[in-house]
Amino acid sequence: MTKVIIIGGGWAGCAAAVTAKKAGADVLLLERTDMLLGLGNVGGIMRNNGRYTAAEEAILLGAGDLFKLTDKASRHVNIDFPGHKHASLYDVCKMEPMVRRYLIEMGIEIKFKTRVVDVQMKDNTINGIVLANNDIIYGDVFIETTGSTGPMGNCLKYGNGCAMCILRCPTFGPRVSISMKAGIEDILGKRSDGSYGAFSGSCKLNKDSLSEEIVRELNEKGVVILPLPKEDINLDKLKVKVCQQYALKEFAENIILLDTGHAKLMAPFYPLEKLRKIKGLENARFEDPYSGGIGNSIRYLSIAPRENSMKVKGIDNLFCAGEKSGLFVGHTEAIVTGSLAGHNSVRHEKGLKLLELPVNIAIGDLISFANKKIKEEEGLKNRFTFAGSVYFDRMKELNLYSTDREFLKKKIKRLNLINIFEEKIV
């Protein structure tokens, strides 16, 4: 049986595990920490703007498992906030256990607290991966979904220091670029001023530290908007955040809170003394990152060059997905790229032609477009998401954005791609 080894248990890694398992592989998922989902444990925004289209496309393609779980875990559905329509907000406190149980029930083996630090190779083929304890795990095909955040040295060099985020590098050890260990140079994303990396785009506040009025409104409506004092408005701070779909002036002129179980503060970081000047936030306390008053994690410093099949260029049996595969933002983007990588890993091992999704569906176009733009100097300063900014504009221009499920079903059916990811290959 084909042995697929996935390094990194975030949304992309979990999605790759699901589709590789469906294709008939023996799947082992290795996670550095003690929890799956990575930044998905502090995210929670789904189906906003073009992400609705992508989620429905994925469901039709046969990769809807994780989207159905996020729908099930949603605290709020069909909510609007500045620049965003029909969003769902899943409960970050419930999501990870649900996904963990689902993968285990599928027969996917998961090893936690397992950090990969090197590779064993012959020519351009990876034979095995080396763990921090020097054990070696052998496999046929490997998928890297380690993300692009950290390690601490990068947060110190390109950010405001280790912000003590959910990735917990000091405890579980730093992320290691597997593609780099295999001899492939990483691509680094840039900010608009040409400096490297970008801050994660939001913080989480402990809801119990907020006023009863704000908590009540969050629980009922899912969103609270609090105007900032004029002296605290700073439009320049929008330039440093990774989530360009939220780099709108409304996010600089207001405190925008979303209910994801915690109160999701839509800013990379915010000085605590200024935050506590706002009515209802007098006792505010950061839940993630703990140092959200001065900084956040730094991302987009470890991207592998790839094909549109998600295969890493220059290595015969390595695939990638999520932020490791491009300047992507979001859980939806991680899930759809992971789904393709997992499916194609099994196709590759069986000697079959790799699947490239057509550009007349949003998922295929995002994967292709981001791959093209990352080769351009200005493209390194962009971020690509179905939810906004450059790519959502493109979706609307190309008529790829739709919330009409029947229309999307007819399109996927016409392309003969209905349930392609359900196909058993082995």
Side-chain angles (χ1 to χ4, degrees):
M1 182 180 285
T2 297
K3 180 80 170 183
V4 175
I5 309 292
I6 301 166
I7 305 114
W11 275 121
C14 291
V18 169
T19 53
K21 187 67 178 179
K22 285 182 177 183
D26 180 14
V27 178
L28 173 61
L29 177 59
L30 305 177
E31 167 52 38
R32 179 180 59 87
T33 74
D34 56 357
M35 295 172 69
L36 296 174
L37 301 190
L39 295 172
N41 286 297
V42 292
I45 305 176
M46 304 292 290
R47 290 187 176 270
N48 51 325
N49 294 346
R51 286 179 179 154
Y52 186 99
T53 306
E56 291 301 319
E57 286 182 354
I59 291 168
L60 291 163
L61 292 167
D65 309 56
L66 299 180
F67 290 109
K68 292 173 183 177
L69 289 178
T70 60
D71 286 346
K72 188 176 180 181
S74 290
R75 295 176 62 86
H76 305 275
V77 298
N78 201 31
I79 70 164
D80 297 342
F81 56 95
H84 296 265
K85 300 289 185 183
H86 50 72
S88 295
L89 304 177
Y90 69 67
D91 192 322
V92 296
C93 299
K94 296 178 180 177
M95 194 73 258
E96 193 272 347
M98 291 173 65
V99 173
R100 185 187 296 218
R101 286 191 290 268
Y102 188 82
L103 266 57
I104 291 171
E105 288 168 5
M106 282 190 75
I108 294 165
E109 183 183 1
I110 308 170
K111 287 185 181 293
F112 291 99
K113 294 178 279 188
T114 304
R115 190 166 72 97
V116 180
V117 298
D118 209 345
V119 297
Q120 270 198 356
M121 296 189 68
K122 183 177 181 181
D123 299 325
N124 292 325
T125 300
I126 298 175
N127 297 321
I129 49 174
V130 183
L131 307 183
N133 64 1
N134 292 320
D135 285 352
I136 300 173
I137 298 178
Y138 298 95
D140 299 310
V141 194
F142 300 84
I143 305 173
E144 184 177 8
T145 51
T146 56
S148 68
T149 307
M152 288 181 292
N154 283 337
C155 293
L156 286 163
K157 184 175 182 179
Y158 302 109
N160 295 339
C162 174
M164 291 182 277
C165 75
I166 190 68
L167 299 182
R168 298 166 290 164
C169 300
T171 302
F172 296 103
R175 170 190 58 77
V176 172
S177 171
I178 305 309
S179 56
M180 181 78 89
K181 289 292 184 180
I184 304 300
E185 193 71 25
D186 277 339
I187 300 168
L188 280 64
K190 295 182 177 182
R191 303 175 201 178
S192 59
D193 64 3
S195 58
Y196 291 112
F199 282 99
S200 290
S202 66
C203 304
K204 315 302 160 304
L205 300 178
N206 187 309
K207 282 174 76 173
D208 290 339
S209 71
L210 311 182
S211 71
E212 290 184 5
E213 182 182 5
I214 287 177
V215 172
R216 188 182 311 113
E217 188 173 350
L218 274 174
N219 289 339
E220 291 175 0
K221 299 180 181 179
V223 57
V224 170
I225 300 175
L226 305 171
L228 283 173
K230 286 185 179 180
E231 65 270 18
D232 288 342
I233 294 174
N234 178 13
L235 295 175
D236 286 341
K237 72 181 182 181
L238 299 176
K239 298 176 183 178
V240 304
K241 67 190 302 182
V242 59
C243 306
Q244 291 181 348
Q245 71 273 28
Y246 309 125
L248 309 172
K249 69 181 183 68
E250 291 91 340
F251 289 83
E253 295 172 344
N254 302 281
I255 288 291
I256 297 178
L257 301 176
L258 302 178
D259 177 27
T260 60
H262 300 310
K264 185 178 178 75
L265 168 60
M266 301 301 289
F269 52 90
Y270 205 93
L272 189 61
E273 63 276 12
K274 290 186 177 182
L275 195 64
R276 287 181 171 178
K277 290 195 305 184
I278 298 166
K279 185 180 179 182
L281 304 183
E282 294 88 351
N283 301 314
R285 174 177 168 173
F286 285 100
E287 191 77 20
D288 178 85
Y290 278 125
S291 298
I294 63 168
N296 210 323
S297 55
I298 296 292
R299 293 155 69 178
Y300 302 106
L301 295 171
S302 181
I303 298 158
R306 61 161 175 87
E307 308 288 351
N308 290 337
S309 63
M310 311 312 295
K311 183 181 173 298
V312 174
K313 291 181 178 180
I315 305 296
D316 292 341
N317 62 338
L318 180 63
F319 289 77
C320 63
E323 286 183 15
K324 184 67 193 183
S325 66
L327 295 162
F328 298 121
V329 183
H331 312 325
T332 300
E333 294 73 8
I335 292 170
V336 298
T337 54
S339 297
L340 182 58
H343 179 79
N344 271 339
S345 69
V346 185
R347 280 182 175 253
H348 171 80
E349 179 58 21
K350 302 311 292 182
L352 301 176
K353 182 181 179 181
L354 300 183
L355 176 66
E356 291 190 11
L357 294 172
V359 296
N360 51 346
I361 66 172
I363 296 173
D365 187 63
L366 176 83
I367 290 170
S368 173
F369 183 69
N371 208 20
K372 176 184 176 184
K373 299 300 287 185
I374 204 170
K375 298 166 187 172
E376 304 170 4
E377 181 63 26
E378 284 303 308
L380 292 171
K381 300 175 183 178
N382 291 138
R383 305 294 177 261
F384 303 100
T385 168
F386 301 110
S389 190
V390 175
Y391 188 71
F392 186 46
D393 289 342
R394 177 180 170 85
M395 279 185 75
K396 290 182 284 188
E397 288 168 8
L398 297 178
N399 294 317
L400 292 173
Y401 169 54
S402 176
T403 58
D404 185 336
R405 291 176 175 174
E406 196 56 38
F407 168 77
L408 294 171
K409 183 176 181 179
K410 288 177 181 176
K411 181 192 284 191
I412 302 293
K413 188 174 183 180
R414 190 167 62 248
L415 294 167
N416 199 30
L417 290 173
I418 292 287
N419 288 330
I420 187 71
F421 291 134
E422 297 277 2
E423 182 182 322
K424 192 171 178 66
I425 297 169
V426 178

